[in-house]
Amino acid sequence: MIRSCPVVAGPHTFALSSAVRQPVRGIFSRMVRLRALFAALLLAIGVSTPLPAGAAGDRTVLWNIVTNCLDASGADYCTVCRWPRVDSACSHRSASNGATEVWAESADFVVLRDSKMCGCPEGFVHGLAIPRARVTGVEDPRRPDGIWAFAWAAARKRMGDDPAIALAVNPLAQRGQDQLHVHLLRLHGDAGRLIAQRAKDRVQSLDHVWKVAARRAAAEGLTDYGVLVVAHREGGFMVLVAQDSPEKLYTDWRCR
């Protein structure tokens, strides 16, 4: 089964006559090339979180969802929330057209389906664990210790005991949203070799990830860094920091 994305047509969609079809086709071709170039540029500068329709360039989308879209009980919910939950009463909503799919939630955290799953095979998994409180990212001293255990539990629920489960947070300079979000994904095939080449730490409790990561980053002279967490084969977890995006360095962060 493939999760498909919708093709959005505006109210002015119309059929072209043969007289104008050819020049329009040329214009469209140039537009496609420009869009491809723009997408490549976004990847090059590290903007890695695809946004719902109508949200390009908005770094507050995740915070907007957390504050306006999780509680669907309000009478004006479908108006206030731009991306309503798929299990809400708002009409014509699905995860493939920009609605919010919640995988897990508690009083402190929520896990959402990442829009990178759009168009992917059934086995591909990419989620986001997000605090309900305002926390900007890895640099924020308010970052909650408990988010790692919550994210790991949600990842195991989706992926079972897969040894390739990985959690990742990107550096400030290489993220697209200013609300902390932990990526839930799988390591790519070459990740083991790459991880073996890097200095890393082992923890028994996920509550120690932030402290250990900060200590390792300081030892490596990093003021902005990302964090990768994976299972250790002898028990506990490995914590690795990276100046670049650990999501892109070590994981299957997209299916195509």
Side-chain angles (χ1 to χ4, degrees):
M1 177 181 178
I2 300 294
R3 294 180 173 89
S4 60
C5 297
V7 177
V8 179
H12 303 295
T13 301
F14 55 88
L16 298 176
S17 68
S18 59
V20 298
R21 193 173 296 143
Q22 192 62 36
V24 170
R25 184 179 295 120
I27 294 172
F28 179 75
S29 177
R30 288 192 292 274
M31 289 174 63
V32 169
R33 288 196 296 271
L34 286 172
R35 288 179 66 182
L37 179 62
F38 180 67
L41 177 62
L42 288 179
L43 289 175
I45 65 176
V47 178
S48 64
T49 304
L51 303 179
D58 183 354
R59 297 178 67 89
T60 66
V61 171
L62 293 182
W63 180 238
N64 187 310
I65 291 174
V66 166
T67 54
N68 296 319
C69 298
L70 298 183
D71 182 2
S73 63
D76 58 349
Y77 172 77
C78 296
T79 302
V80 173
C81 173
R82 294 179 62 187
W83 305 284
R85 296 176 61 136
V86 295
D87 54 359
S88 71
C90 304
S91 60
H92 308 300
R93 293 291 172 182
S94 70
S96 63
N97 67 6
T100 299
E101 182 177 320
V102 177
W103 287 355
E105 56 187 324
S106 70
D108 298 316
F109 309 110
V110 64
V111 176
L112 309 179
R113 171 189 183 273
D114 194 304
S115 57
K116 295 188 188 79
M117 289 183 64
C118 189
C120 292
E122 192 67 33
F124 179 77
V125 175
H126 195 150
L128 300 175
I130 308 167
R132 289 179 179 261
R134 189 72 170 110
V135 183
T136 56
V138 66
E139 76 287 353
D140 194 326
R142 299 168 295 181
R143 56 188 186 253
D145 292 329
I147 195 169
W148 294 101
F150 188 81
W152 192 269
R156 287 196 62 189
K157 187 173 181 180
R158 285 278 159 177
M159 294 178 267
D161 293 325
D162 191 335
I165 289 176
L167 305 180
V169 171
N170 288 324
L172 169 61
Q174 298 194 42
R175 69 178 189 232
Q177 291 290 296
D178 290 328
Q179 174 67 6
L180 174 65
H181 50 288
V182 178
H183 296 265
L184 287 61
L185 346 84
R186 288 185 174 94
L187 296 171
H188 63 60
D190 200 34
R193 181 185 64 82
L194 296 175
I195 291 173
Q197 298 172 359
R198 297 294 305 272
K200 48 200 167 291
D201 298 277
R202 183 180 176 187
V203 297
Q204 292 299 324
S205 170
L206 289 168
D207 288 344
H208 299 156
V209 168
W210 287 125
K211 180 180 179 180
V212 169
R215 186 173 61 209
R216 171 61 63 181
E220 296 186 12
L222 301 177
T223 56
D224 183 23
Y225 57 92
V227 181
L228 179 76
V229 175
V230 298
H232 193 286
R233 64 177 178 272
E234 297 178 3
F237 305 89
M238 287 190 295
V239 180
L240 180 152
V241 299
Q243 185 173 8
D244 296 320
S245 164
E247 175 198 7
K248 293 181 179 178
L249 287 173
Y250 303 108
T251 76
D252 285 325
W253 59 281
R254 60 179 179 175
C255 63
R256 54 199 169 103

